[in-house]
Amino acid sequence: MPELEVVYFDIKGRAEATRLTLTIGGVPFNDVRVGQEFPALKSQLPLGQLPVLKVDGLVIPQSMTVLRYAGKLASLYPTDPVQAAVVDSVLDSIQDFSAKVTSESDPARKEAHRTNVAAKDLPILFNYLETLLARSGTGFLAGSLSIADIQTYVSVNALQSGAFDFIPPSSVDAFPAVLALRDRVGEIEAVKAWEAAHVKK
């Protein structure tokens, strides 16, 4: 097994799904949290951004690339090409949604933009997830627990936490199968232990 370092800020953000994936799979890794040293570190990063995964010293950028690699190490990425495509479609859809949420930084337009995202884009994504869950019949998006479920768990928790201004936490309440998936992942013993060990003081 290679020596792994997940390097990110001391938040959940774009690295939490990778951290949980490796934890669930029992894959050892160093959880490196970056703080005020980031400006000095930035020039050493391939794309000048976090997260990155260090694999025996090789620095790999891009959060979804890192998550897919972690999923393969943890046996949480399907070997079946069709199921892998389902997983990829979920990850890409969540990335697209996240990009829309954060695409407007102008305070004068931010509220209207995010209100529109919550009303139009969020239901499209969550209805797709509901459809996949109904089709699989297992309670998981691609037939068995995968990185798609773990990323969905992280994303739903972020939305329900109120982390995004002008997107009400209640926006996800109309999607019971997705909420049940969130609860199912949250009941995994490794996830419960991780969450308990990383409660913000």
Side-chain angles (χ1 to χ4, degrees):
M1 185 68 68
E3 182 176 340
L4 305 177
E5 282 189 11
V6 178
V7 184
Y8 192 54
F9 304 108
D10 191 18
I11 57 174
K12 294 185 176 183
R14 295 179 178 273
E16 192 70 359
T18 293
R19 294 169 178 150
L20 288 173
T21 295
L22 295 171
T23 298
I24 292 168
V27 179
F29 70 101
N30 295 318
D31 181 24
V32 179
R33 308 283 177 127
V34 174
Q36 295 180 343
E37 69 272 28
F38 176 66
L41 177 65
K42 187 173 182 178
S43 63
Q44 303 172 36
L45 301 171
L47 300 175
Q49 61 191 27
L50 296 174
V52 297
L53 179 68
K54 293 185 178 180
V55 182
D56 289 336
L58 173 67
V59 182
I60 301 173
Q62 293 290 0
S63 59
M64 291 298 104
T65 299
V66 167
L67 178 56
R68 288 181 177 95
Y69 176 74
K72 291 170 184 176
L73 290 182
S75 298
L76 291 169
Y77 186 85
T79 56
D80 176 79
V82 174
Q83 297 304 323
V86 170
V87 167
D88 288 343
S89 75
V90 171
L91 299 181
D92 291 344
S93 297
I94 290 175
Q95 281 291 94
D96 287 348
F97 175 76
S98 297
K100 288 179 181 177
V101 169
T102 58
S103 64
E104 182 56 75
S105 58
D106 185 338
R109 297 195 294 263
K110 188 175 181 181
E111 180 175 1
H113 171 74
R114 288 195 173 179
T115 299
N116 184 64
V117 169
K120 294 184 178 179
D121 298 290
L122 186 148
I124 292 172
L125 169 61
F126 276 69
N127 280 321
Y128 176 57
L129 300 178
E130 291 270 326
T131 298
L132 290 177
L133 288 165
R135 183 183 301 156
S136 77
T138 64
F140 296 110
L141 290 160
S144 60
L145 178 66
S146 73
I147 55 174
D149 306 296
I150 297 166
Q151 182 61 65
T152 298
Y153 167 81
V154 171
S155 298
V156 171
N157 283 344
L159 288 167
Q160 289 198 309
S161 75
F164 301 104
D165 295 343
F166 312 118
I167 298 184
S170 60
S171 297
V172 302
D173 290 352
F175 306 97
V178 176
L179 292 180
L181 169 63
R182 187 275 315 275
D183 292 343
R184 192 170 295 111
V185 174
E187 285 301 311
I188 297 170
E189 289 301 322
V191 174
K192 291 196 290 186
W194 176 268
E195 298 284 14
H198 294 85
V199 174
K200 289 291 185 182
K201 304 297 184 183

